[in-house]
Amino acid sequence: MPPPLPRPADVLPHRPPFLLVDEVLSLEPGRRATGRWTLTGEEAFFAGHFPGRPTLPGVLMVESLAQLGGVAVLADGRHAGKLPLFGGIDRARFRRQVVPGDVLELEVTLGRLSVRAGTGQGVARVGGEVACEAGLLFVIVDA
């Protein structure tokens, strides 16, 4: 029987209102993870982005992917006590608007991963339809 999946807050240092992953759905430490972020409409950014037409900012979609990637990195025992930080974002594309009530389905596959840095590819979907995709570059530092 596989070990239970961690809660994002048990792995990541992020806390509300900047914890942008609600649930880890699958995890292969150091390799890949899937997760979910449910947008209730109560998130503060919706009030200003945009009044009358609330839309999830694209940068927050990319951040949610990075946070899920952080779960996959930190679940690898080699990175205990470390912190993955953004080093870059490659080829980010936003394919559909994400609005209150949507559930963002997150998937991150890690590429090269060393003790100091790594890469990943993330895709965020709503109802199976791609909302965002991006290449992620990160450095790994002491927490």
Side-chain angles (χ1 to χ4, degrees):
M1 177 181 234
L5 294 170
R7 295 177 326 131
D10 292 342
V11 179
L12 298 172
H14 303 76
R15 294 295 176 261
F18 210 70
L19 180 59
L20 308 181
V21 179
D22 296 327
E23 183 179 12
V24 176
L25 300 173
S26 70
L27 176 62
E28 295 176 45
R31 293 183 177 264
R32 67 180 305 275
T34 62
R36 174 181 303 142
W37 181 23
T38 301
L39 297 153
T40 66
E42 298 300 313
E43 295 84 1
F45 53 78
F46 279 132
H49 195 267
F50 299 95
R53 188 172 180 169
T55 302
L56 176 64
V59 296
L60 295 183
M61 277 192 268
V62 175
E63 174 65 24
S64 68
L65 289 167
Q67 288 183 17
L68 182 64
V71 170
V73 169
L74 295 172
D76 181 332
R78 296 181 299 164
H79 304 295
K82 300 292 183 176
L83 181 64
L85 300 174
F86 259 133
I89 301 165
D90 286 334
R91 297 182 209 97
R93 297 290 181 264
F94 304 98
R95 308 286 184 198
R96 81 180 295 282
Q97 188 176 28
V98 178
V99 299
D102 282 346
V103 176
L104 208 57
E105 304 150 359
L106 308 168
E107 179 180 357
V108 175
T109 303
L110 299 178
R112 181 187 58 80
L113 182 60
S114 72
V115 295
R116 286 187 254 169
T119 63
Q121 182 65 36
V123 180
R125 296 177 177 88
V126 174
E129 185 179 337
V130 174
C132 169
E133 51 195 343
L136 308 170
L137 304 169
F138 53 91
V139 295
I140 301 171
V141 300
D142 289 333

